[in-house]
C-alpha cells in the first residue's frame, strides 16, 4: 500500500506568536492505524486541524491522496472524515438526518442504502429516528463517527475518541476502529491514553512541544526502547549483595528476599546467563524467577524525560 498522507516541514505559529508545530515530517500509509501520543498542549490537535484544513499552516506542505490541502483543498478534504474532540451535533435533529445531511455537505449524492450501512455498522440503526439530545454520551460519539464516515472518506481522524468515555464504551470504540480499518479506512487518532495506543495502533508517533519526536511501529518501539526486568525471589533472605554480584546492576529488596535486574532485550548480551551463574556461585537458592516487559507508558515517560532534559 502507498502513502495516503504526506506531511513535509509542517509548521504552525499562531497569531499570538506561539509555535505549536515545528517542521513536522510524516508519511502515513494507507490502511494503517497511527496513534499520536503526547501530553496536553503538545500540538496533536493543531496537527490534525492543519491536515484537515481547519488551521492554516505557516510552513510546509500536506498532501492527502496526492492533493495539496491548500491549493487543492476540496479534493483533499473529500477524502477525510474528522471526528472532533468536542461533541458538536444539532440536539433536536434525528440521528438519521444528521448523518444523511453530512453526506450532502461533501457534495455526495443522497444514498439511503449507504447511510443505513453506516448507521448499522455503528449500532445506530435502531436509533435513527431518535433525536440527538435523547442519546447517551457514548451514542453521541457514535453519531459523530457516523457523520464523519457518511461521505466515505479514505482517512478518518479521531481526536481523542475515548476522552471521558467509560471502560466498556472505550473497548467498544476500539473494536469499532478495528472494523473500520478492516474495511480499508486509514485511521489517525490522538490520545492521552497510552493503553489505547498500545491496544490499537500499528504505529505510534510521539509529539512533545510541537515536535514529532519519534514515529515507529508499536512492536519495534516496545522492543527497541523497552527495558525488561528480571525478578528473582530468593529461598533464603540475604542481608547484603554477595561480592560475586558486584559486576551486575542488581537491586536487593523485600527484606533481602528479592533481586531485580534491568536489561535491554535487544542487546546482544543481556547478562542473564552470567548473572544466574554468579548467583549459583554465590550459593544462592532461587525460589522464583520472572520477567517484566516495560510498557509503552514507561517508554513514553522516559522519552519525555529525555526530551525535557
Ligand atoms: N488558536 C490558538 N491560538 C493560540 N495558541 C493556540 C491556539 N490553539 C492552540 N494553541 C496552543 O498550541 C498548543 C498546542 O495545542 P493543541 O490543542 O494542538 O495541543 P494538543 O496536543 O491537542 O493538546 P490536548 O491534548 O490538550 O488536546 C497549546 O499550547 C495551545 O495553547
Amino acid at each position: 500500500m502507498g502513502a495516503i498522507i504526506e506531511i513535509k516541514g509542517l509548521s504552525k505559529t499562531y497569531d499570538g506568536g506561539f509555535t505549536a508545530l515545528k517542521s513536522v515530517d510524516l508519511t502515513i500509509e494507507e490502511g494503517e492505524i497511527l496513534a499520536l501520543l503526547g501530553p496536553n498542549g503538545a500540538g496533536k490537535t493543531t496537527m490534525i486541524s492543519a491536515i484537515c484544513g481547519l488551521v492554516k499552516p505557516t510552513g510546509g506542505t500536506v498532501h492527502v491522496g496526492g492533493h495539496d490541502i491548500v491549493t487543492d483543498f476540496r479534493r483533499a478534504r473529500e477524502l477525510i472524515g474528522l471526528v472532533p474532540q468536542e461533541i458538536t451535533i444539532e440536539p433536536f435533529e434525528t440521528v438519521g438526518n444528521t448523518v444523511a445531511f453530512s453526506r450532502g455537505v461533501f457534495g455526495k449524492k443522497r444514498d439511503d442504502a449507504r447511510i443505513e450501512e453506516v448507521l448499522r455498522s455503528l449500532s445506530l440503526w435502531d436509533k435513527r429516528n431518535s433525536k440527538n439530545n435523547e442519546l447517551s454520551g457514548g451514542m453521541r460519539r457514535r453519531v459523530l463517527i457516523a457523520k464523519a464516515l457518511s461521505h466515505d472518506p479514505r482517512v478518518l481522524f479521531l481526536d481523542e475518541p475515548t476522552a471521558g468515555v467509560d471502560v466498556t464504551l472505550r473497548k467498544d470504540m476500539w473494536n469499532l476502529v478495528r472494523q473500520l480499518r478492516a474495511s480499508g479506512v486509514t485511521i489517525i487518532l490522538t490520545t492521552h491514553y497510552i493503553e489505547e495506543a498500545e491496544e490499537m495502533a500499528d504505529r505510534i508517533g510521539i509529539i512533545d512541544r510541537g515536535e514529532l519526536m519519534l514515529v515507529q511501529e508499536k512492536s519495534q518501539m516496545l522492543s527497541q526502547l523497552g527495558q525488561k526486568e528480571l525478578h528473582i525471589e530468593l529461598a533464603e533472605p540475604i542481608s547484603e549483595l554477595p561480592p560475586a554480584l558486584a559486576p551486575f546492576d542488581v537491586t536487593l529488596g523485600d527484606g533481602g528476599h528479592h533481586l531485580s535486574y534491568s536489561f535491554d532485550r535487544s542487546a546482544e548480551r543481556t547478562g542473564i546467563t552470567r548473572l544466574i551463574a554468579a548467583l549459583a556461585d554465590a550459593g544462592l537458592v532461587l525460589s522464583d524467577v520472572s520477567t517484566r516487559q516495560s510498557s509503552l507508558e514507561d517508554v513514553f515517560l522516559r522519552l519525555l524525560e529525555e526530551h525535557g532534559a
Side-chain angles (χ1 to χ4, degrees):
M1 291 238 186
I4 180 91
I5 298 183
E6 284 185 280
I7 303 171
K8 291 201 180 114
L10 181 66
S11 301
K12 174 67 189 176
T13 301
Y14 283 107
D15 286 346
F18 182 79
T19 300
L21 279 184
K22 298 173 190 162
S23 196
V24 170
D25 293 309
L26 176 64
T27 300
I28 300 169
E29 299 296 319
E30 182 142 30
E32 72 170 323
I33 301 183
L34 174 77
L36 293 173
L37 208 60
N40 279 128
K44 304 179 295 293
T45 303
T46 302
M47 184 164 150
I48 286 192
S49 305
I51 302 170
C52 297
L54 302 174
V55 157
K56 203 168 161 236
T58 43
T61 56
V62 180
H63 286 84
V64 180
H67 305 291
D68 186 292
I69 52 144
V70 177
T71 58
D72 199 2
F73 173 69
R74 285 184 74 90
R75 305 276 301 275
R77 187 64 182 83
E78 264 172 32
L79 302 177
I80 296 173
L82 170 65
V83 182
Q85 231 176 80
E86 308 289 333
I87 295 190
T88 46
I89 39 176
E90 172 59 49
F92 303 110
E93 191 52 272
T94 64
V95 169
N97 283 345
T98 303
V99 178
F101 178 74
S102 191
R103 183 178 171 89
V105 168
F106 285 91
K108 290 252 171 159
K109 269 208 210 124
R110 184 177 160 158
D111 185 342
D112 293 343
R114 176 64 190 139
I115 297 299
E116 177 174 342
E117 208 172 61
V118 170
L119 290 176
R120 283 192 188 280
S121 74
L122 290 155
S123 310
L124 285 172
W125 182 242
D126 294 345
K127 301 276 181 200
R128 65 190 178 282
N129 295 319
S130 305
K131 293 201 171 73
N132 291 321
N133 66 352
E134 295 162 6
L135 303 178
S136 69
M139 283 288 175
R140 279 183 218 175
R141 255 176 217 281
R142 284 169 184 261
V143 174
L144 282 182
I145 298 178
K147 260 182 82 176
L149 291 174
S150 65
H151 63 287
D152 303 320
R154 279 165 64 194
V155 186
L156 184 67
F157 286 91
L158 297 162
D159 198 357
E160 293 187 33
T162 57
V165 163
D166 72 23
V167 179
T168 320
L169 272 177
R170 194 176 301 168
K171 297 221 157 131
D172 272 5
M173 192 70 80
W174 293 351
N175 283 333
L176 190 67
V177 168
R178 285 195 198 98
Q179 281 167 26
L180 288 173
R181 204 261 304 259
S183 72
V185 179
T186 305
I187 293 161
I188 294 111
L189 62 100
T190 70
T191 183
H192 288 281
Y193 301 112
I194 289 165
E195 185 196 3
E196 189 154 277
E198 194 158 9
E199 177 75 27
M200 283 206 302
D202 300 310
R203 276 198 309 161
I204 294 173
I206 295 184
I207 301 193
D208 188 30
R209 292 179 244 176
E211 282 177 54
L212 188 59
M213 294 162 56
L214 184 76
V215 189
Q216 249 179 2
E217 298 287 327
K218 176 179 59 185
S219 51
Q220 200 186 358
M221 188 180 280
L222 283 170
S223 68
Q224 280 191 6
L225 292 166
Q227 291 276 314
K228 262 193 127 172
E229 272 175 14
L230 178 69
H231 293 277
I232 297 164
E233 298 297 331
L234 300 174
E236 297 291 332
I238 52 175
S239 54
E240 57 184 25
L241 286 173
L245 298 187
F248 302 93
D249 190 12
V250 171
T251 312
L252 180 64
D254 189 23
H257 267 114
H258 184 103
L259 295 174
S260 61
Y261 171 67
S262 287
F263 63 96
D264 186 345
R265 231 185 86 173
S266 60
E268 231 167 75
R269 313 204 66 148
T270 58
I272 295 175
T273 314
R274 282 180 301 123
L275 174 64
I276 301 282
L279 289 167
D281 286 349
L284 299 178
V285 179
L286 320 184
S287 64
D288 192 23
V289 176
S290 61
T291 59
R292 178 182 166 270
Q293 168 85 51
S294 31
S295 69
L296 198 55
E297 181 150 17
D298 302 330
V299 173
F300 179 62
L301 292 174
R302 212 169 79 206
L303 271 170
L304 288 187
E305 235 169 65
E306 282 171 18
H307 197 226

